[in-house]
């Protein structure tokens, strides 16, 4: 059911420093910061030949990644995103398998303008999973 790895998201305490490190130290193709007020994050996309990296930084006071950075002040891997062909069919399959979908269970438009869902990390080996319809 899942397809390509769409991105790995890393929560970072200093977005400018992290973007500069990927650009200058690692020599990656780094985009400009983008505010995503609906998701409470500012995102920098890094394009690699086979996938993307998303650097996430809290935006606003009730950002969903604020607690993660409080627990991991140096930053850390926040989630992985896998592509699926039909997100509603994927959700129905996962619910039937006993997995928990976060929120109200309906897909939301994600940072790339495509429908996304998040799956509970306790059901997936401690890893928060995002599914994106590709
Ligand atoms: Co993501």
């Amino acid at each position: 059911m899942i397809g390509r790895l769409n991105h790995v998201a890393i929560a970072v305490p200093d977005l400018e420093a992290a973007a500069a490190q990927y650009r200058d130290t690692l020599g990656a193709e780094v985009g400009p910061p983008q505010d995503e007020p609906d998701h409470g994050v500012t995102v920098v996309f890094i394009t690699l030949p086979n996938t993307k990296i998303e650097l996430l930084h809290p935006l606003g006071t009730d950002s969903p990644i604020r607690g993660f950075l409080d627990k991991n002040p140096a930053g850390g891997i926040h989630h992985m995103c896998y592509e699926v062909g039909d997100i509603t069919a994927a959700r129905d399959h996962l619910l039937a398998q006993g997995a928990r979908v976060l929120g109200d269970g309906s897909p939301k438009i994600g940072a790339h303008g495509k429908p996304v869902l998040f799956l509970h990390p306790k059901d997936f080996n401690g890893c928060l999973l995002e599914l994106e319809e590709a």
Side-chain angles (χ1 to χ4, degrees), residues 28-48:
E29 186 187 326
V30 175
Q34 295 176 32
D35 288 343
E36 305 280 351
D38 290 352
H39 299 277
V41 289
T42 302
V43 182
V44 167
F45 294 115
I46 297 163
T47 307
L48 303 182

Side-chain angles (χ1 to χ4, degrees), residues 4 16 30-31 38 47 51 71 73 80 90 95 101 103 105 107 109-110 121-122 128 132 134:
R4 288 158 42 110
E16 211 172 299
V30 175
D38 290 352
T47 307
T51 191
K71 278 182 235 140
M80 323 247 297
L95 290 174
V101 175
I109 297 302
K122 289 205 170 119
L128 176 62
E132 180 176 302

Side-chain angles (χ1 to χ4, degrees), residues 94 99-102 117-121 124 127-131:
L94 284 155
R100 286 169 286 179
V101 175
L102 299 189
L117 285 175
F118 285 91
L119 304 174
H120 202 296
F124 293 95
C127 187
L128 176 62
L129 297 184
E130 179 180 16
L131 299 180

